[in-house]
Amino acid sequence: MVLWLMAMKAAREQLDGRETDDIGNQDANSKHDENQNFPVQNTSDTKRETQTVQIGNRSASLFLSSASINLSKAKPKDTSNAKQSPSTTPAPISRQTTKTKREKSRLIPDEMIQIRPTREFTFTGYDIMADVASPECSDDDEDDDDNTRQIKSTYRNTCKMLGVTPASSFKNQVATPAITMRSHPTGPEGVRAMAIALVDNQVVTSLDLEDNGLFTDGAKYIAEMLHKNRTIIDLNIAENLIGTEGVRAIADVLHVNHKITSLDISGSGLVDTDALVLADILQNAPCLRELILSHNKFCGEGGMILGSAIATNDTLRILDLSWNHLRGKGAMAIVAALQKNIGLRKLDISWNGYGKDECFILSHALQENTTLKELDISNNRLNKEAIKHLLDGIQNGDGLETLRIRGNPVSPELALAIIKVIQESENCRIQQLDMGDIDVNEDFVSVVDDITMYRPFEVLYSNVLKHGGLQKREVEGIDYNVNMVDELFKYMHENNYRVIDLMKWLDKDGSMSVSREEFKQGMKTAQFPLTEFQLDKMVDELDMDGDGEVDFSKLEKMFVINFGMIQYDNGHYVLARNTKNYLQAKGYSGGE
């Protein structure tokens, strides 16, 4: 026992780098040691000793680095500064933390840092030292500038502090003008970490966090960030159910932040009482140019409140109120505001409850308003009487250039009356008429041909009726009545494309869906042989739930069904018996 104690004492003295019998000279040598650098050990002489150890039923080799032992010998223990040890209280995340770590590392020569192991042993066949990364930055930060590296470091540290997983898609976009993260499970705490990282960001101008589960708290974190950040001008926090308090937080920051020009808060669960908050935004955000309020629950009272605010606002250019519950007095108040408003250029009131009485007010507004250029009143209740009122406004107005009325109960005869008013009116300036899924007759087509002879004009419509039947519209050899989805599948099959290939190419954010415009633009880029009208019709067929998105999971099911691998039979999807014959019957050529 005595020998064992003596051996332990000798080993401790050797590792501490001092002899026990030289205590009398310690004070004399301390000052000399402070003014000298520690000797640098030649890394080529570093030795690694092994020792076999038994762990359960398995054996492993223990690697001991001589560099670690020699380092301990060379570094004296400074007992004079023991009382000045730093506090254990965690400091705020800042550059100072990194600086302090670097200052401490100067006590050890750089050559020794390169060989110092972070663990004392590894298992045989794998050297853990080969995978040790630099503590200052990760591999993906090596090419970043100092500012970007600092933002990423702040984001990672904040995520660690809040206990959330960092989003790589966000981190990879912090140095780009636009951050797009749609349909991510971010949550309030996740967006809080993002907001902290964006406070001093001078690069990002567009922030798209649609459908990220922000809710009220997440909206408040975004608003708090915008109190200081003046670089972001385009904000999309749609489909996050931020509610009254979340919208109030955004409204408050718009009082002081006059840089936001576009705000999308559709799908926020807003009701009539929340219209007061939005009226406050319209009155106190002079730089706001676009406001998207679709997919909310504004009814009569909310429409009247918004109508009063619209009438006095002359800075907003685009207003989207689609997919609400506007009808009656609320719907009337919105269009009546156009008589006084001189700022709006585009108004979207599709998918509401506009009918005869509402269109009567709209007619008078269109005759007085000369600044509104685009009106979307699709998918409402425009019957014959409502269309008659609308035509009065078109005939006597001289401002509107684009009119969208698809999805309304319009007959071919009524469609002919609309196109004749556009042709005969001296004041009418409509250059684009979107009738989408509305059938027309031969006389309609003839009038369109006459209009296009003397001025630019574009019209979208469905089938041409001839003697009670369907006539195929063919322009320059293109069949307008062809099944557009079948043409898409035929194109994909002949070019050996799969739905997953199409998805990877078009779906940049990994949300498994793309917007109508993104899908159309992708088809144009791929030089898909369809016209603008045919592309619109194809997207209408693919957007089966009417949410404005093409869902790839549904597209894949349609693709499989169309190619005969699965067929629908008695309410069930069953495997086709002869897929090859089915493909040939459908007119497809190519592989099996």
Side-chain angles (χ1 to χ4, degrees):
M1 179 63 71
V2 174
L3 294 176
W4 180 81
L5 291 175
M6 292 177 64
M8 289 295 296
K9 182 177 180 181
R12 185 179 299 108
E13 291 174 353
Q14 182 179 5
L15 291 175
D16 289 343
R18 58 168 69 96
E19 297 295 336
T20 56
D21 56 347
D22 292 339
I23 297 178
N25 298 327
Q26 181 178 0
D27 294 336
N29 294 333
S30 60
K31 295 182 180 180
H32 178 71
D33 292 339
E34 291 176 357
N35 297 325
Q36 292 184 355
N37 294 326
F38 296 113
V40 178
Q41 181 179 354
N42 189 351
T43 56
S44 60
D45 296 335
T46 302
K47 299 180 180 179
R48 299 173 67 88
E49 301 177 0
T50 62
Q51 177 180 353
T52 302
V53 296
Q54 189 76 21
I55 302 178
N57 296 325
R58 301 179 61 183
S59 63
S61 293
L62 186 66
F63 287 89
L64 296 178
S65 173
S66 59
S68 176
I69 298 176
N70 292 336
L71 183 62
S72 299
K73 293 179 180 179
K75 182 179 178 181
K77 185 179 298 184
D78 188 1
T79 58
S80 61
N81 295 329
K83 296 183 179 180
Q84 301 179 5
S85 60
S87 172
T88 58
T89 305
I93 301 172
S94 63
R95 294 180 182 270
Q96 184 63 32
T97 305
T98 305
K99 182 178 179 182
T100 304
K101 291 181 179 179
R102 290 177 178 173
E103 289 177 354
K104 290 182 179 181
S105 67
R106 292 173 187 169
L107 296 175
I108 304 171
D110 294 338
E111 292 82 354
M112 299 300 290
I113 294 177
Q114 300 297 326
I115 64 174
R116 183 177 58 185
T118 56
R119 290 191 174 95
E120 290 298 323
F121 71 94
T122 62
F123 289 105
T124 304
Y126 175 69
D127 188 358
I128 198 170
M129 294 304 300
D131 291 338
V132 175
S134 171
E136 298 297 331
C137 63
S138 59
D139 293 338
D140 60 345
D141 295 348
E142 292 180 354
D143 298 332
D144 296 331
D145 55 33
D146 291 341
N147 185 50
T148 302
R149 193 178 296 112
Q150 178 63 26
I151 293 173
K152 290 184 177 182
S153 176
T154 300
Y155 176 61
R156 286 192 296 265
N157 292 333
T158 306
C159 287
K160 182 177 181 181
M161 179 181 65
L162 297 176
V164 298
T165 302
S168 59
S169 56
F170 173 82
K171 187 178 64 173
N172 294 336
Q173 298 181 77
V174 294
T176 63
I179 293 179
T180 301
M181 288 185 56
R182 294 190 175 185
S183 302
H184 282 69
T186 305
E189 291 302 299
V191 80
R192 182 182 182 185
M194 296 178 186
I196 293 174
L198 290 173
V199 168
D200 295 321
N201 189 296
Q202 302 297 315
V203 178
V204 176
T205 59
S206 175
L207 179 61
D208 187 343
L209 297 177
E210 180 176 327
D211 189 21
N212 273 248
L214 270 61
F215 303 108
T216 299
D217 289 342
K220 289 181 177 180
Y221 296 140
I222 293 294
E224 186 175 355
M225 176 267 295
L226 291 174
H227 273 281
K228 185 174 182 181
N229 184 296
R230 294 293 191 274
T231 306
I232 295 175
I233 61 175
D234 184 353
L235 177 63
N236 180 3
I237 51 174
E239 304 299 334
N240 281 293
L241 295 176
I242 62 176
T244 304
E245 294 302 318
V247 173
R248 168 56 65 186
I250 298 297
D252 290 342
V253 75
L254 292 181
H255 282 253
V256 295
N257 186 333
H258 294 162
K259 298 295 183 179
I260 303 295
T261 60
S262 177
L263 175 63
D264 188 345
I265 49 176
S266 57
S268 295
L270 306 180
V271 295
D272 282 343
T273 53
D274 299 321
L276 292 171
V277 182
L278 297 172
D280 178 62
I281 292 177
L282 291 173
Q283 293 171 359
N284 296 285
C287 292
L288 191 63
R289 297 293 180 265
E290 181 180 18
L291 180 60
I292 312 298
L293 300 173
S294 64
H295 288 85
N296 283 294
K297 301 177 182 179
F298 295 120
C299 301
E301 183 181 351
M304 289 189 287
I305 295 173
L306 290 174
S308 299
I310 294 170
T312 58
N313 181 289
D314 59 357
T315 57
L316 194 67
R317 297 292 180 262
I318 300 174
L319 177 61
D320 186 350
L321 287 167
S322 62
W323 290 92
N324 276 280
H325 303 167
L326 296 172
R327 57 179 53 87
K329 293 183 178 179
M332 293 179 187
I334 297 294
V335 294
L338 296 176
Q339 299 180 60
K340 296 182 178 180
N341 182 281
I342 60 173
L344 278 180
R345 300 295 183 267
K346 178 180 177 180
L347 175 63
D348 189 346
I349 49 176
S350 61
W351 294 96
N352 280 287
Y354 281 82
K356 178 183 64 174
D357 296 334
E358 293 83 1
C359 283
F360 178 76
I361 304 298
L362 176 60
S363 173
H364 289 279
L366 292 178
Q367 295 178 44
E368 297 186 25
N369 186 296
T370 60
T371 57
L372 185 68
K373 302 303 178 184
E374 181 175 343
L375 174 64
D376 191 343
I377 195 170
S378 303
N379 296 284
N380 277 274
R381 302 179 300 174
L382 304 188
N383 54 19
K384 185 176 181 179
E385 291 78 9
I387 291 293
K388 181 180 178 181
H389 292 313
L390 183 61
L391 292 179
D392 290 339
I394 293 175
Q395 188 172 14
N396 299 302
D398 62 352
L400 202 62
E401 297 177 354
T402 300
L403 177 63
R404 306 186 187 278
I405 58 173
R406 66 167 60 204
N408 285 290
V410 177
S411 65
E413 293 73 23
L414 199 53
L416 178 60
I418 295 173
I419 200 67
K420 283 187 174 181
V421 167
I422 295 175
Q423 180 190 34
E424 298 171 357
S425 174
E426 296 180 357
N427 297 324
C428 181
R429 297 185 178 181
I430 290 181
Q431 300 177 5
Q432 184 178 23
L433 176 63
D434 183 0
M435 304 179 69
D437 53 357
I438 298 174
D439 294 334
V440 300
N441 55 32
E442 291 180 290
D443 294 335
F444 182 96
V445 177
S446 179
V447 174
V448 171
D449 292 339
D450 292 340
I451 295 175
T452 55
M453 290 180 63
Y454 65 87
R455 69 183 179 93
F457 186 72
E458 180 183 358
V459 60
L460 303 177
Y461 53 91
S462 184
N463 301 303
V464 180
L465 301 180
K466 180 181 181 180
H467 303 300
L470 292 178
Q471 177 188 5
K472 291 186 177 181
R473 297 172 51 212
E474 295 186 1
V475 178
E476 298 180 354
I478 299 176
D479 185 0
Y480 278 76
N481 281 330
V482 72
N483 187 307
M484 308 307 171
V485 177
D486 276 354
E487 286 297 303
L488 172 64
F489 293 156
K490 181 179 179 181
Y491 178 81
M492 293 172 61
H493 178 70
E494 291 178 348
N495 290 273
N496 199 26
Y497 289 155
R498 302 169 299 171
V499 174
I500 191 172
D501 299 324
L502 187 66
M503 177 191 71
K504 289 180 178 179
W505 181 47
L506 296 176
D507 185 20
K508 304 301 183 183
D509 59 1
S511 62
M512 287 296 293
S513 65
V514 294
S515 68
R516 294 173 61 96
E517 292 304 320
E518 289 173 339
F519 189 85
K520 287 172 57 179
Q521 188 60 43
M523 294 296 99
K524 292 178 182 178
T525 303
Q527 297 182 346
F528 188 67
L530 287 181
T531 65
E532 184 76 20
F533 170 80
Q534 290 174 314
L535 284 174
D536 281 324
K537 188 173 181 180
M538 179 174 64
V539 175
D540 286 340
E541 295 178 17
L542 293 175
D543 183 16
M544 290 173 287
D545 53 5
D547 63 350
E549 298 278 332
V550 176
D551 191 324
F552 282 105
S553 61
K554 297 178 182 177
L555 180 63
E556 186 172 20
K557 181 181 291 185
M558 293 174 64
F559 181 78
V560 172
I561 294 173
N562 272 267
F563 271 84
M565 290 179 287
I566 294 179
Q567 295 178 355
Y568 195 75
D569 183 26
N570 294 327
H572 300 283
Y573 290 102
V574 297
L575 184 66
R577 294 184 178 180
N578 195 331
T579 300
K580 183 176 181 180
N581 292 341
Y582 181 86
L583 293 176
Q584 293 176 349
K586 296 282 287 184
Y588 298 110
S589 60
E592 295 292 334

